C-alpha cells in the first residue's frame, strides 16, 4: 500500500545492479533514477545497450520501415535484404488503414523483399534490387517506391540511393532509398530520424495544392494502431477541422506531398516524428504543438488547445459541445470501473512515448505508476526540456545524409501569418514546441529506468509486486509466468482503439477485465512444485 507515498527506491536500484560486473553496474545505474518531479535530474538515455544484456529494443530498420513508413498504404515499401526482415516488419504492429475507395492504391497486404541470398552477399545485390523495382512497377504501377536497407546492404556496400535515382529516371515515378541498416543507431530511434529526413527530402512539398477547409492541421506521430487514428479522425471531422495528413496512421504519400500547406502541426508521439515538425516549421513557418489523445481528459485538453490556436468562436463552441457529450460517456464508464481498480499498481516499459502517455489513463482510474521507462527515447522525452533537435546530423545515426533546411524559395508558401500568430499567442503565455516529459508527471520516488533489461524486469516484479505490467510481446509471457498480467501497449493485444474518448472507454473496460479477476493468484511457476529437470548433454 503506497497511499502514503512511495519508498525511496535507491536500495532497490542497488540490489538490481549488484548482480552486474562493476563496469556494467556503473553504466546501468546512470539509467535508473529515483524520480522527483520538482527537480531536474539527468537520466542516461539513447546510448548503446551493453552487449550480453537482454534488452527490449529493436533496430534502426524497424524504426524506419516498420514504424514510420509501414502504415502508409500507397507506396511500395521494398525491403532490400533477407526475407525475414521484410516478413517480421509486415503488419505485426497492427497499423490499420482504410483506402478511400475499393480500388484506391493499398499495398499494405503485401510484403515486398529482394530476398537476398548468399550469392548477392558475395557478388552484390544492386542488380537484383533493380530487377525487383522493375517487377514491382510492372505488377502494380505504383506512384512511389521506397527502398529500405537491412544490415547486409551496408556491410556489402550496395548503394540503394544510386539504384533509386537510376530507377526513378528509368520508370518516371518517385523512388527513394533509406540507409536504415539495423545496426546504424542504438535502437529504432535512428530509424525514425532517417525516415523523417527521407520523406521530407523526397516527398513533402511536391504538391502545392490549394487549401481545403478553414482549419487545417496535420497529426504527427499517430500510427493508427488498433484503429486509434479512426477515432481521432471522427472527432476532427465533427469539429470541422480538416485533417490534411497523418504521419503516418491511415496515410498516403500523396497526402505527405501537400502536408506543408496546413496551418498547424499537432504532435502526438514526439519521439518518432519531431524532426518533421521542426523541418516544416523551419521551411514553411508552420508552428507545432504537443498533443496527447490517450485518456479522456488529455483528449479534451488537446482538442481545446487546437481550437484555441485557431481562435475561432464557432470552432471553440463546437469543440466544447463534442467534449461535453463525449466526456459524459467516458465519465459514466469510469465511475463504474474506477472503484474496482483504484489503488492498483502499474509499471510500464515501452517505446518512446506510450510509457508516458498511458500514465494518464491509469491516473484517470486512480491507479499508481510505480515504475516506468522507455526503450529508446532521448533525455528530452524523460526530462521535458524545450526541444531543439539537431536536424542536420544526429550522432546516433552516424552516416545520415545531411539535410539542410532553408526557408522555402516560394514566398507564397512561407506562412508569415502563422509565424505572427504564434508570436502573439506566445506573448499570452501559450506554449509552443514545448514538450512535457515523463518525469515531471510521475510521483516522487517512482523509479524511472531507461532501456530496462530482462534481469531488471524480474527484480522489479519481485520488489513491487505490481498488479499490472505493460510492455511488448517479448516480455509478455515471461511476466505472466510470474503471476502478473501483462497488457501490451504496442499492439494492444488484439484490442483497441485506445485513443480519444471511445478509446478511453475501451481501455477502462480492458482494465476491469484484466484486474478484477482472481485468475492471476492461481498461477504458479511449475518449478516451484516440481524439481527443475537438470539435463546432461552428450555431443558426439
Ligand atoms: Fe512513438 Fe509509436 Fe511509441 Fe514509436 Fe514503437 Fe509503436 Fe511504441 Mo511499438 S512511434 S515511440 S517506435 S508511439 S512501434 S506506434 S508501440 S515502440 S511507444
Ligand atoms: C518495433 C515494433 C514494436 C514491437 C512491439 C513489441 C511494435 O519496435 O519494431 O515488442 O511487442 O509496436 O509493434 O514496437
Amino acid at each position: 500500500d503506497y497511499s502514503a507515498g512511495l519508498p525511496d527506491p535507491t536500495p532497490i536500484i542497488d540490489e538490481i545492479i549488484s548482480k552486474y560486473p562493476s563496469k556494467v553496474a556503473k553504466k546501468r545505474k546512470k539509467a535508473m533514477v529515483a524520480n522527483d518531479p520538482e527537480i531536474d535530474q539527468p537520466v542516461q538515455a539513447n546510448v548503446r545497450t551493453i552487449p550480453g544484456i537482454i534488452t527490449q529494443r529493436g533496430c534502426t530498420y524497424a524504426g524506419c520501415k516498420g514504424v514510420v513508413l509501414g502504415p502508409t498504404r500507397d507506396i511500395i515499401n521494398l525491403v532490400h535484404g533477407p526475407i525475414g526482415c521484410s516478413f517480421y516488419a509486415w503488419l505485426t504492429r497492427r497499423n490499420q488503414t482504410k483506402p478511400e475507395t475499393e480500388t484506391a492504391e493499398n499495398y499494405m497486404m503485401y510484403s515486398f523483399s529482394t530476398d537476398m541470398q548468399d550469392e548477392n552477399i558475395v557478388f552484390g545485390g544492386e542488380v537484383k534490387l533493380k530487377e525487383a523495382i522493375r517487377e514491382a512497377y510492372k505488377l502494380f504501377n505504383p506512384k512511389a517506391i521506397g527502398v529500405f536497407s537491412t544490415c547486409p546492404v551496408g556491410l556489402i556496400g550496395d548503394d540503394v540511393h544510386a539504384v533509386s535515382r537510376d530507377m526513378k529516371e528509368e520508370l518516371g515515378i518517385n523512388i527513394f532509398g533509406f540507409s536504415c541498416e539495423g545496426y546504424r543507431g542504438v535502437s529504432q530511434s535512428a530509424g525514425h530520424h532517417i525516415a523523417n529526413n527521407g520523406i521530407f527530402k523526397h516527398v513533402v512539398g511536391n504538391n502545392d495544392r490549394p487549401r481545403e477547409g478553414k482549419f487545417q492541421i496535420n497529426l504527427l506521430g499517430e500510427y493508427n494502431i488498433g484503429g486509434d487514428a479512426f477515432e481521432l479522425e471522427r472527432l476532427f471531422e465533427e469539429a470541422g477541422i480538416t485533417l490534411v495528413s497523418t504521419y503516418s496512421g491511415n496515410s498516403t504519400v500523396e497526402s505527405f506531398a501537400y502536408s506543408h500547406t496546413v496551418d498547424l502541426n499537432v504532435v502526438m508521439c514526439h519521439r518518432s516524428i519531431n524532426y518533421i515538425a521542426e523541418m516544416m516549421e523551419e521551411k514553411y513557418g508552420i508552428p507545432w504543438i504537443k498533443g496527447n489523445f490517450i485518456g479522456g481528459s488529455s483528449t479534451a485538453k488537446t482538442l481545446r488547445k487546437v481550437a484555441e490556436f485557431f481562435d475561432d468562436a464557432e470552432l471553440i463552441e463546437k469543440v466544447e459541445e463534442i467534449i461535453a457529450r463525449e466526456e459524459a460517456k467516458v465519465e459514466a464508464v469510469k465511475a463504474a470501473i474506477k472503484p474496482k481498480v483504484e489503488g492498483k499498481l502499474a509499471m510500464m516499459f515501452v517505446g518512446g512515448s506510450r510509457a508516458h502517455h498511458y500514465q494518464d489513463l491509469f491516473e484517470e482510474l486512480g491507479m499508481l505508476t510505480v515504475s516506468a521507462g522507455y526503450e529508446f527515447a532521448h533525455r528530452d522525452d524523460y526530462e521535458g526540456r524545450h526541444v531543439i533537435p539537431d536536424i542536420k546530423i544526429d550522432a546516433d545515426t552516424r552516416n545520415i545524409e545531411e539535410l539542410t533546411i532553408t526557408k522555402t524559395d516560394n514566398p507564397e508558401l512561407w506562412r508569415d501569418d502563422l509565424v505572427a500568430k504564434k508570436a502573439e499567442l506566445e506573448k499570452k503565455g501559450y506554449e509552443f514546441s514545448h514538450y512535457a516529459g515523463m518525469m515531471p508527471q510521475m510521483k516522487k520516488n517512482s523509479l524511472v529506468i531507461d532501456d530496462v533489461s530482462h534481469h531488471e524486469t524480474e527484480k522489479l516484479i519481485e520488489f513491487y509486486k505490481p498488479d499490472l505490467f505493460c510492455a511488448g510481446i517479448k516480455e509478455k509471457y515471461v511476466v505472466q509466468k510470474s503471476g502478473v498480467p501483462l497488457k501490451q501497449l504496442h499492439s494492444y493485444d488484439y484490442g483497441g482503439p485506445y485513443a480519444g474518448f471511445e478509446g478511453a472507454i475501451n481501455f477502462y473496460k480492458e482494465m476491469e477485465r484484466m484486474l478484477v479477476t482472481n485468475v492471476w493468484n492461481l498461477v504458479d511457476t511449475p518449478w516451484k512444485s516440481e524439481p527443475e529437470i537438470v539435463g546432461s548433454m552428450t555431443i558426439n
Side-chain angles (χ1 to χ4, degrees):
D1 178 13
Y2 296 127
S3 48
L6 284 157
D8 177 7
T10 310
I12 303 174
I13 296 176
D14 290 340
E15 197 188 321
I16 285 177
I17 61 172
S18 68
K19 277 279 184 303
Y20 290 138
S22 62
K23 259 190 176 166
V24 175
K26 213 169 134 198
K27 278 191 182 158
R28 283 304 300 152
K29 196 172 180 170
K30 291 187 193 146
M32 302 176 191
V33 174
N35 191 51
D36 185 341
E38 300 305 321
I39 56 170
D40 270 351
Q41 292 184 94
V43 55
Q44 169 184 279
N46 194 32
V47 300
R48 206 161 85 96
T49 304
I50 299 158
I53 276 187
I54 304 179
T55 169
Q56 296 181 315
R57 280 177 172 173
C59 69
T60 298
Y61 156 82
C64 182
K65 193 273 174 190
V67 173
V68 179
L69 266 302
T72 307
R73 65 174 169 265
D74 62 341
I75 176 172
I76 285 188
N77 287 330
L78 174 60
V79 176
H80 189 31
I83 193 69
C85 295
S86 188
F87 185 77
Y88 290 108
W90 179 37
L91 288 183
T92 48
R93 191 156 157 260
R94 297 190 67 239
N95 44 285
Q96 301 184 6
T97 203
K98 204 183 272 165
E100 304 82 353
T101 62
E102 251 175 57
T103 50
E105 274 178 283
N106 176 15
Y107 306 113
M108 273 168 49
M109 60 286 229
Y110 299 99
S111 174
F112 299 94
S113 170
T114 52
D115 186 20
M116 224 178 212
Q117 304 292 322
D118 300 5
E119 191 190 308
N120 312 121
I121 304 284
V122 178
F123 299 106
E126 291 182 7
V127 173
K128 194 170 191 189
L129 175 59
K130 281 190 179 177
E131 278 165 14
I133 294 173
R134 283 192 195 101
E135 189 186 343
Y137 176 74
K138 223 168 118 189
L139 283 172
F140 296 99
N141 194 22
K143 60 166 79 75
I145 299 178
V147 178
F148 298 85
S149 305
T150 58
C151 293
V153 173
L155 297 174
I156 65 174
D158 275 5
D159 187 344
V160 297
H161 305 286
V163 168
S164 299
R165 269 196 303 276
D166 288 355
M167 296 313 290
K168 183 176 176 173
E169 207 173 296
E170 183 182 314
L171 303 175
I173 59 165
N174 198 2
I175 302 177
F176 42 92
F178 295 91
S179 289
C180 56
E181 287 86 350
Y183 59 77
R184 228 168 233 285
V186 303
S187 69
Q188 291 92 318
S189 176
H192 303 145
H193 198 161
I194 292 166
N196 281 225
N197 282 6
I199 306 171
F200 199 79
K201 183 170 174 179
H202 297 286
V203 183
V204 176
N206 286 353
N207 179 353
D208 291 341
R209 78 163 197 185
R211 306 170 52 87
E212 275 178 13
K214 201 167 162 195
F215 315 113
Q216 303 192 113
I217 65 162
N218 294 319
L219 182 56
L220 305 188
E222 162 45 60
Y223 298 93
N224 204 19
I225 311 305
D228 278 353
F230 298 147
E231 163 67 1
L232 305 182
E233 286 166 11
R234 172 181 82 88
L235 297 171
F236 289 128
E237 196 182 328
E238 192 187 344
I241 296 165
T242 308
L243 185 56
V244 172
S245 185
T246 299
Y247 284 71
S248 54
N250 195 25
S251 71
T252 57
V253 277
E254 189 178 356
S255 69
F256 295 161
Y258 52 73
S259 60
H260 62 304
T261 60
V262 298
D263 307 312
L264 177 71
N265 279 320
V266 179
V267 179
M268 169 95 170
C269 169
H270 173 269
R271 181 65 271 132
S272 59
I273 211 84
N274 69 81
Y275 317 98
I276 292 270
E278 292 288 339
M279 289 187 283
M280 279 205 201
E281 177 156 42
E282 197 152 325
K283 187 163 182 184
Y284 301 105
I286 303 164
W288 65 271
I289 54 171
K290 181 72 187 68
N292 177 19
F293 291 98
I294 301 300
S297 40
S298 314
T299 304
K301 197 169 142 196
T302 304
L303 286 175
R304 285 198 178 106
K305 242 180 166 180
V306 175
E308 192 183 322
F309 173 80
F310 289 108
D311 207 8
D312 177 281
E314 215 176 301
L315 176 66
I316 291 173
E317 202 186 307
K318 186 74 205 167
V319 162
E320 289 304 328
E321 181 194 315
I322 296 171
I323 292 173
R325 184 194 66 214
E326 298 287 325
E327 276 201 325
K329 289 191 266 178
V330 172
E331 288 304 320
V333 180
K334 189 164 80 184
I337 294 173
K338 190 175 173 179
K340 302 183 199 170
V341 298
E342 214 164 2
K344 300 234 185 231
L345 308 181
M347 273 186 194
M348 60 201 88
F349 295 92
V350 248
S353 72
R354 292 185 176 183
H356 175 207
H357 286 163
Y358 274 77
Q359 292 192 24
D360 289 1
L361 273 169
F362 292 117
E363 229 171 270
E364 287 175 3
L365 289 174
M367 290 170 61
L368 177 65
T369 304
V370 288
S371 183
Y374 300 118
E375 283 172 57
F376 50 72
H378 300 202
R379 279 182 58 188
D380 47 24
D381 304 295
Y382 282 105
E383 298 164 39
R385 301 243 189 77
H386 188 83
V387 185
I388 308 165
D390 176 7
I391 52 174
K392 294 200 181 73
I393 197 145
D394 188 325
D396 75 347
T397 59
R398 290 174 224 157
N399 301 322
I400 199 164
E401 287 165 67
E402 189 142 333
L403 190 77
T404 315
I405 303 297
T406 43
K407 196 163 148 174
T408 173
D409 297 334
N410 180 355
E412 300 277 294
L413 276 176
W414 172 257
R415 310 288 299 273
D416 275 325
D417 53 332
L418 292 177
V419 176
K421 173 155 210 173
K422 178 182 164 185
E424 181 198 313
L425 287 166
E426 267 173 345
K427 263 194 229 139
K428 288 190 201 163
Y430 195 94
E431 282 173 351
F432 281 87
S433 311
H434 179 82
Y435 178 53
M438 171 199 277
M439 289 160 81
Q441 194 190 339
M442 287 184 73
K443 291 265 181 298
K444 185 162 168 65
N445 282 331
S446 53
L447 177 51
V448 174
I449 307 187
D450 182 64
D451 186 19
V452 77
S453 75
H454 191 123
H455 160 70
E456 293 157 15
T457 299
E458 286 183 357
K459 283 283 166 202
L460 287 173
I461 290 174
E462 256 176 59
F463 288 127
Y464 287 105
K465 301 188 175 43
D467 298 291
L468 180 73
F469 198 96
C470 301
I473 191 66
K474 300 186 293 298
E475 297 76 49
K476 185 172 177 84
Y477 299 101
V478 180
V479 170
Q480 290 193 164
K481 279 175 191 167
S482 64
V484 175
L486 185 141
K487 178 67 194 168
Q488 293 190 62
L489 288 189
H490 299 263
S491 69
Y492 301 159
D493 288 298
Y494 331 109
Y498 293 143
F501 299 110
E502 284 296 325
I505 292 174
N506 288 338
F507 197 79
Y508 299 156
K509 290 184 177 163
E510 177 72 351
M511 286 305 104
E512 179 185 29
R513 192 185 67 79
M514 290 182 78
L515 298 175
V516 187
T517 165
N518 265 335
V519 75
W520 298 102
N521 303 332
L522 306 174
V523 176
D524 216 347
T525 41
W527 51 87
K528 277 194 188 153
S529 50
E530 280 171 46
E532 220 176 316
I533 301 167
V534 184
S536 67
M537 198 164 64
T538 332
I539 299 172
N540 296 313

